[in-house]
Amino acid sequence: MGPIEVKRFFGGFGLVQAGVQFAFVMKGTLYLRVDDTTRPEFERLGAVPFSYATSASTVKVASYYEAPVDALEDPHALRDWATKALASALGARKPARRKPAVKAI
């Protein structure tokens, strides 16, 4: 995959490549970025989305799911899942806003 930066991310650590976060570790659990294409794969394997409790309710973050357990024991499988997560994160990026051209008067 190439170089990966580890950055502080709330109470855990974010995994970032080329300025794009594609995973994070929170309380010892690895979560990977998903999209509409990869989410069903995670769900089929029994993975659940990241969630956290607030004073009013539990919030589910549907864009990050637990890494499949089998992948944590197989570096090749983990690389494949991480590559999919990076592709999902890249696909979710919003295009950069272009500044309107300034007309000379």
Side-chain angles (χ1 to χ4, degrees), residues 43-68:
E43 291 173 343
R44 187 176 67 251
L45 294 171
V48 296
F50 173 70
S51 63
Y52 61 92
T54 68
S55 59
S57 66
T58 298
V59 176
K60 289 185 180 179
V61 181
S63 56
Y64 284 91
Y65 270 64
E66 288 179 324

Side-chain angles (χ1 to χ4, degrees), residues 35-104:
D35 58 23
D36 291 340
T37 302
T38 59
R39 186 177 295 107
E41 294 179 66
F42 283 82
E43 291 173 343
R44 187 176 67 251
L45 294 171
V48 296
F50 173 70
S51 63
Y52 61 92
T54 68
S55 59
S57 66
T58 298
V59 176
K60 289 185 180 179
V61 181
S63 56
Y64 284 91
Y65 270 64
E66 288 179 324
V69 175
D70 293 346
L72 298 176
E73 298 175 8
D74 179 349
H76 299 291
L78 183 56
R79 183 191 60 229
D80 292 343
W81 284 104
T83 299
K84 290 179 186 180
L86 179 58
S88 295
L90 288 168
R93 289 188 346 185
K94 294 179 180 168
R97 278 190 145 170
R98 299 182 92 183
K99 291 184 180 179
V102 178
K103 292 184 179 182

